[in-house]
Amino acid sequence: MNQTASAGLSLRGVVKRFGDVAVVQELDLEVEQGEFVVLLGESGCGKSTTLRMIAGLESVTEGSISIGGRDVTHAGPVQRDIAMVFQNYALYPHMDVAQNMSFALRLAGQPKAEIDRRVQDAARILNITPLLSRKPRELSGGQRQRVAIGRCIVREPKLFLFDEPLSNLDAKLRGHMRTELAVLHERLGKTTVYVTHDQVEAMTLASRIVIFDKGRIQQVGTPSEVFNRPANLFVAGFIGSPGMNFIQCHAAQGPAGVVLQAEGVSLSVLPAMGTLKIGKDYVAGVRPQALRLAEGASQLVLQVDVVEYLGTETVLVGQLAGQPGSRITAVVPGDRHDLLHTRVELQADPSRINVFDPQSQRNLCL
Ligand SMILES: Nc1ncnc2c1ncn2[C@@H]1O[C@H](COP(=O)(O)OP(=O)(O)OP(=O)(O)O)[C@@H](O)[C@H]1O
Ligand SMILES: [Mg+2]
């Protein structure tokens, strides 16, 4: 038995190859007891494969996995004390809700009184007590999803695994179930690994997000860390909507320190000031929300081509002065239709600018 520091889940040097193709590469991840960790990435990046290795449904090619401090690398799914909710949470059509929820416990030969207690408890938590004697066909999509989650709760596992559990639901129900999952985690405090390609789900549910690309972890961080200080250009471009502005610049000496300059651009950048080399090329990364209108500031001069009013704020899209074809997005408060086809001066909060090395793609502000 291999004792680990983390009582939750630990992946060490995990590699998965299908034939010659490595779909998960050198994965290291520590999940603390009670944490809600979201694996986020585009289709095919290896999220489900990783989750299935944690569940024991897929073997690992290299490396080790431990759950609750116990090495389970070679243990079968049943010995891992986990419960998993899939995207297609097939319920048994001929069983009612209570029977669906208790199926695994009955199979394991649990005493009837204990089974009843757990089913009642889970039903109360999920607000499905009045549905216990219904068949799956008599339930809505959201209710079915709750039953699928109830099946997991009754097993009182060490670890919850979710693979895109909300992607079959319509947008409104998805938002509602997302909140319910957050409440559920708050109440049960179970260690959870949740796979999604929806960044809103990731940002709202996760205590930490693990961002995958092509089978490799790009960054592990809190929602705020990955949003405000993305580790590299990939994460910076992946997280956030509208996306981060990337501006090709070079470092120059300004009156009050180093600035990043380009045609129509002059940015002071606090966090990376000491590391920038005069004359060298950089990519400035500025969130649309980090820009504000400021007459006379002229850090960014923008010719506004499109104005999108969203109710409480306006998205301005335009080109940098002197850089036709460039594209900058800014989000400003209120209805600013008046700015269409005008030239505006924008200021960026220096502490919210990120600077990337175009060669290594890494964020120099970390
Ligand atoms: N049994 C298998 N044999 C061969 N290749 C596989 C197998 N299972 C998955 N793959 C490949 O591994 C890669 C990762 O697949 P995986 O299902 O983990 O992606 P994912 O991140 O969950 O994507 P999605 O968001 O589409 O569900 C893909 O390129 C996939 O084609
Ligand atoms: Mg998947």
Side-chain angles (χ1 to χ4, degrees):
M1 198 187 312
N2 176 18
Q3 285 297 331
T4 65
S6 157
L9 165 71
S10 159
L11 304 181
R12 303 250 166 97
V14 169
V15 175
K16 178 65 186 183
R17 276 192 284 272
F18 290 111
D20 291 343
V21 185
V23 297
V24 174
Q25 308 189 46
E26 289 297 321
L27 203 70
D28 288 303
L29 180 66
E30 298 288 327
V31 179
E32 296 299 323
Q33 179 80 39
E35 246 195 306
F36 196 118
V37 164
V38 173
L39 309 184
L40 176 68
E42 275 159 13
S43 186
C45 70
K47 307 180 295 292
S48 295
T49 304
T50 302
L51 204 68
R52 291 169 58 79
M53 288 192 286
I54 297 168
L57 299 170
E58 199 76 76
S59 64
V60 306
T61 311
E62 282 173 34
S64 67
I65 298 177
S66 59
I67 295 172
R70 189 168 68 94
D71 189 324
V72 295
T73 313
H74 302 292
V78 181
Q79 283 105 50
R80 294 192 183 200
D81 207 356
I82 52 120
M84 184 153 166
V85 179
F86 298 90
Q87 180 178 344
N88 297 310
Y89 40 88
L91 302 175
Y92 300 108
H94 57 287
M95 292 184 198
D96 67 21
V97 167
Q99 289 165 335
N100 262 289
M101 282 168 67
S102 61
F103 184 73
L105 300 182
R106 287 185 279 131
L107 211 61
Q110 290 277 350
K112 183 166 183 322
E114 175 67 10
I115 295 177
D116 286 346
R117 180 190 69 76
R118 292 201 201 175
V119 169
Q120 290 295 337
D121 280 355
R124 201 172 325 111
I125 289 167
L126 293 163
N127 271 323
I128 52 173
T129 306
L131 309 178
L132 283 172
S133 55
R134 287 208 204 160
K135 296 279 170 54
R137 67 169 181 277
E138 298 162 327
L139 303 173
S140 73
Q143 290 167 338
R144 271 182 225 152
Q145 184 58 282
R146 265 178 256 171
V147 175
I149 294 168
R151 271 198 310 209
C152 291
I153 294 178
V154 296
R155 292 170 54 195
E156 300 181 352
K158 274 210 184 69
L159 185 62
F160 271 137
L161 303 176
F162 291 92
D163 194 350
E164 312 230 16
L166 307 185
S167 56
N168 278 350
L169 306 177
D170 66 46
K172 188 156 176 237
L173 193 51
R174 202 155 62 219
H176 178 71
M177 286 300 296
R178 196 176 75 215
T179 312
E180 290 204 355
L181 283 174
V183 171
L184 189 67
H185 180 253
E186 193 70 29
R187 282 165 84 165
L188 298 180
K190 288 277 180 204
T191 313
T192 302
V193 182
Y194 185 104
V195 162
T196 185
H197 59 260
D198 180 325
Q199 44 167 304
V200 177
E201 269 174 38
M203 294 294 279
T204 52
L205 287 171
S207 49
R208 283 188 304 155
I209 302 177
V210 181
I211 296 170
F212 271 70
D213 184 39
K214 300 186 188 77
R216 275 188 200 282
I217 291 179
Q218 298 293 317
Q219 185 170 10
V220 182
T222 64
S224 161
E225 284 166 352
V226 299
F227 184 82
N228 292 308
R229 292 287 175 229
N232 54 41
L233 281 168
F234 174 82
V235 176
F238 187 69
I239 294 281
S241 177
M244 186 180 270
N245 294 299
F246 295 121
I247 307 166
Q248 315 294 327
C249 307
H250 64 272
Q253 189 63 50
V258 182
V259 289
L260 289 179
Q261 278 187 343
E263 196 66 38
V265 180
S266 177
L267 296 168
S268 45
V269 281
L270 284 180
M273 203 128 91
T275 59
L276 301 185
K277 294 190 179 65
I278 304 295
K280 192 173 162 354
D281 289 338
Y282 295 98
V283 178
V286 188
R287 292 248 172 244
Q289 299 84 354
L291 289 168
R292 63 174 177 274
L293 295 164
E295 198 80 17
S298 48
Q299 289 190 342
L300 289 175
V301 183
L302 193 68
Q303 179 64 38
V304 180
D305 298 324
V306 178
V307 167
E308 295 171 338
Y309 173 55
L310 300 178
T312 52
E313 56 198 22
T314 298
V315 180
L316 308 176
V317 185
Q319 303 172 45
L320 288 168
Q323 288 200 48
S326 61
R327 172 177 274 259
I328 295 289
T329 307
V331 177
V332 296
D335 180 355
R336 298 309 305 268
H337 269 106
D338 57 306
L339 298 178
L340 184 60
H341 303 315
T342 67
R343 213 174 146 99
V344 297
E345 289 173 315
L346 298 168
Q347 189 170 29
D349 179 347
S351 65
R352 291 177 71 186
I353 297 178
N354 289 282
V355 183
F356 299 91
D357 181 319
Q359 274 79 46
S360 71
Q361 315 245 311
R362 303 205 63 76
N363 189 346
L364 302 172
C365 298
L366 292 178

